């Protein structure tokens, strides 16, 4: 049985560990390993929104008018030598700190786009901040506008983690195998 005095310490340690994991993948703060820091950046675009602009309503959760919870279409330039891609979608503006909405890896290295609402085969999905695998669409509290970052990682490994991997395992695995990355950010909410 855990004493009450230790619970706040363990909770703080858990929050610190998640911050370290997000930082190691380049999501927040500075990367914690040299390969992530030295990776090349490539271009990510979308035919439905521009970087730092509004995501169309259909890509939000169903509690928003028009929300369908679909993944937006994304396109990227990639790099030579890429064995696979991973995508991490995070929301840095959450009141409780950055939240991860999607972790997917094992996207074939020859692929350079994701279609709207894509269901990718032969990929692996890690758990999100809410401890569920799969895509969690933008769904900020009513009246709040949040940023949603889609970071695409070029990897030197086919799939660096297994289905259902916790963030503490999936994000460092992505960071360890990153040879390049690109990002597009969309805004959602505020009504």
């Amino acid at each position: 049985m855990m004493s009450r005095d230790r619970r706040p310490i363990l909770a703080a340690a858990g929050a610190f560990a998640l911050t370290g994991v997000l930082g190691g993948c380049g999501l927040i703060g500075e990367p914690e390993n040299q390969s992530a820091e030295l990776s090349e950046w490539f271009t990510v675009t979308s035919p439905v929104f521009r970087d730092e602009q509004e995501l169309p309503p259909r890509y939000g959760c169903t509690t928003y008018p028009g929300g369908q919870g679909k993944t937006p279409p994304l396109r990227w330039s990639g790099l030579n030598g890429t064995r696979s891609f991973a995508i991490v979608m995070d929301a840095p503006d959450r009141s409780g700190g950055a939240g991860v909405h999607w972790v997917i890896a094992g996207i074939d290295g020859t692929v350079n786009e994701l279609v709207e609402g894509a269901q990718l085969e032969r990929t692996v999905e890690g758990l999100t901040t809410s401890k569920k695998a799969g895509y969690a669409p933008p769904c900020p509290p009513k009246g709040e506008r949040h940023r949603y970052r889609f970071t695409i990682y070029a990897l030197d490994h086919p799939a660096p983690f297994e289905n259902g991997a916790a963030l503490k395992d999936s994000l460092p695995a992505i960071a360890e195998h990153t040879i390049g990355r690109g990002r597009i950010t969309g805004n959602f909410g505020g009504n």
Side-chain angles (χ1 to χ4, degrees):
M1 184 167 199
M2 188 181 315
S3 76
R4 288 186 180 179
D5 295 336
R6 294 183 52 109
R7 287 182 188 160
I9 294 169
L10 291 175
F16 180 73
L18 182 58
T19 300
V21 165
L22 292 174
C25 203
L27 291 175
I28 61 172
E30 294 299 315
E32 68 181 36
N33 73 36
Q34 194 172 30
S35 67
E37 189 174 334
L38 298 177
S39 65
E40 293 187 43
W41 283 87
F42 53 84
T43 303
V44 178
T45 62
S46 176
V48 298
F49 72 99
R50 292 179 186 246
D51 191 35
E52 301 290 337
Q53 300 299 312
E54 298 301 313
L55 279 163
R58 72 178 173 270
Y59 302 109
C61 65
T62 57
T63 61
Y64 277 85
Q68 299 173 19
K70 294 183 175 187
T71 58
L74 301 171
R75 296 179 181 146
W76 56 90
S77 55
L79 297 171
N80 288 334
T82 301
R83 293 192 59 195
S84 72
F85 290 99
I87 301 173
V88 176
M89 178 187 143
D90 76 309
D93 302 323
R94 283 182 8 156
S95 59
V100 176
H101 287 252
W102 194 26
V103 180
I104 186 168
I107 301 167
D108 188 273
T110 61
V111 170
N112 66 354
E113 72 178 310
L114 185 72
V115 298
E116 179 177 302
Q119 299 293 318
L120 301 171
E121 295 180 13
R122 294 185 287 267
T123 57
V124 295
E125 290 185 294
L127 300 181
T128 63
T129 304
S130 60
K131 298 186 179 7
K132 295 179 182 174
Y135 180 74
C139 200
K142 293 288 184 181
E144 291 185 22
R145 182 174 183 253
H146 289 185
R147 292 174 295 154
Y148 293 88
R149 303 183 299 192
F150 296 85
T151 307
I152 300 176
Y153 297 90
L155 306 177
D156 64 4
H157 192 280
F161 60 87
E162 295 190 18
N163 266 320
L167 286 171
K168 69 178 184 62
D169 299 321
S170 63
L171 297 183
I174 290 170
E176 181 180 339
H177 293 283
T178 295
I179 59 172
R181 59 186 166 182
R183 177 182 291 158
I184 188 168
T185 302
N187 301 309
F188 192 83
N191 298 333

